[in-house]
């Protein structure tokens, strides 16, 4: 588990699953921004089958988390507020190849964040979660960190640039979102800029990351 001033990063728990299902099937506004091209039209039968697969994958993740020791490297964390102990979203990592495309094999480390809970946005939680996760990955052997989004997701672009990411690849016109065409963006972390951002936040917010 990792803690910052306002949030903690922890493993997925059984009690998180109902909220995950709610976000996936009912409170779906976040899907307008998190890779919205992946959410195509499905029949009721397809939706039901997809939901069953999703629930099964969540239960598998919970079981795998139980089997890990505290020192085992994590590739994702759930985000929870410290004060209210409210589950608000997650951060995760995945691999991309030299052309900045997703790959199932070992490759470059890319990260993403999602906070489906709209009441938790605009409070700095995303900055705290991302910086704690980035520091954790760097401490656990990652040499470079990347982040991917699309040109219409201005909030994510702003967060990335503020933390210290710099655009390293723009694939023009590859994303179609709600009838409009957008660019696919990949950012690479400038570790000096990231260190400067951390120093600033430590000065103004009394530190970001604590291990517990």
């Amino acid at each position: 588990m990792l803690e910052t001033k306002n949030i903690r990063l922890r493993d997925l728990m059984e009690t998180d699953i109902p909220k995950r299902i709610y976000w996936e099937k009912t409170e779906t506004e976040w899907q307008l921004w998190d890779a919205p091209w992946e959410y195509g039209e499905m029949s009721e039968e397809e939706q039901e089958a997809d939901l069953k697969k999703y629930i099964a994958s969540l239960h598998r993740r919970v079981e795998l988390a139980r089997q890990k020791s505290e020192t085992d490297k994590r590739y994702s964390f759930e985000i929870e507020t410290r004060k209210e102990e409210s589950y608000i979203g997650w951060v995760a990592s995945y691999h991309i190849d030299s052309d900045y495309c997703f790959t199932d094999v070992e490759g470059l480390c890319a990260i993403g964040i999602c906070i489906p809970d709209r009441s938790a946005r605009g409070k700095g939680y995303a900055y705290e979660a991302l910086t704690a996760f980035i520091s954790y990955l760097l401490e656990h052997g990652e040499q470079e960190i990347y982040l991917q989004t699309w040109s219409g997701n201005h909030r994510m672009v702003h967060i990335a640039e503020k933390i210290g990411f710099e655009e390293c690849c723009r694939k023009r016109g590859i994303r179609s979102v709600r009838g409009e065409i957008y660019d696919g963006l990949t950012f690479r972390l400038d570790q000096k800029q990231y260190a400067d951002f951390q120093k600033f936040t430590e000065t103004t917010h009394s530190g970001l990351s604590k291990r517990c």
Side-chain angles (χ1 to χ4, degrees):
M1 181 189 299
L2 303 175
E3 287 193 348
T4 72
K5 180 183 177 183
N6 296 300
I7 57 103
R8 62 173 55 93
L9 304 183
R10 57 164 176 77
D11 291 332
L12 183 70
M13 302 188 301
E14 199 79 32
T15 52
D16 296 330
I17 293 179
K19 205 163 191 180
R20 276 285 193 128
I21 296 170
Y22 173 73
W23 288 332
E24 188 70 22
K25 297 301 177 183
T26 304
E27 183 54 65
T28 60
E29 179 270 348
W30 62 278
Q31 295 175 4
L32 297 175
W33 309 105
D34 184 54
W37 51 88
E38 294 182 356
Y39 299 94
E41 292 292 326
M42 290 191 293
S43 67
E44 289 188 13
E45 293 79 7
E46 289 172 329
Q47 290 180 24
E48 184 66 24
D50 184 64
L51 178 60
K52 288 180 180 178
K53 287 171 60 177
Y54 183 67
I55 294 172
S57 71
L58 292 174
H59 284 293
R60 286 195 298 272
R61 283 188 52 201
V62 170
E63 185 56 35
L64 287 172
R66 287 172 178 160
Q67 296 172 13
K68 290 185 175 182
S69 71
E70 290 187 5
T71 58
D72 287 336
K73 183 177 179 180
R74 267 65 171 175
Y75 296 91
S76 65
F77 287 104
E78 310 308 304
I79 308 170
E80 177 183 88
T81 61
R82 290 184 64 184
K83 184 177 180 180
E84 301 85 2
E85 296 188 340
S86 176
Y87 177 40
I88 62 171
W90 58 88
V91 287
S93 62
Y94 58 97
H95 287 128
I96 55 177
D97 61 24
S98 59
D99 195 37
Y100 307 115
C101 296
F102 173 81
T103 177
D104 288 323
V105 299
E106 194 75 16
L108 305 172
C109 178
I111 63 171
I113 184 170
C114 188
I115 300 182
D117 188 335
R118 283 187 275 183
S119 67
R121 298 177 194 165
K123 299 180 179 179
Y125 298 151
Y127 291 110
E128 292 189 35
L130 277 173
T131 51
F133 190 40
I134 289 167
S135 294
Y136 173 86
L137 291 172
L138 291 173
E139 289 172 7
H140 285 76
E142 298 296 342
Q143 300 299 309
E144 291 188 315
I145 307 290
Y146 293 80
L147 183 149
Q148 295 183 305
T149 187
W150 51 291
S151 58
N153 193 344
H154 304 297
R155 181 166 44 202
M156 189 70 253
V157 171
H158 173 73
I159 291 172
E161 292 177 340
K162 186 172 181 178
I163 287 175
F165 283 93
E166 294 185 337
E167 185 180 319
C168 64
C169 179
R170 178 180 291 257
K171 296 183 178 181
R172 299 192 179 278
I174 68 167
R175 300 303 184 198
S176 177
V177 180
R178 296 181 283 280
E180 300 290 335
I181 301 300
Y182 296 91
D183 301 338
L185 307 178
T186 301
F187 295 82
R188 179 171 53 235
L189 184 70
D190 182 311
Q191 294 192 36
K192 183 181 183 305
Q193 288 189 41
Y194 173 66
D196 290 342
F197 175 79
Q198 281 192 302
K199 289 177 183 177
F200 172 77
T201 53
E202 286 170 1
T203 300
T204 56
H205 299 296
S206 302
L208 274 174
S209 184
K210 298 179 181 178
R211 187 68 48 78
C212 60

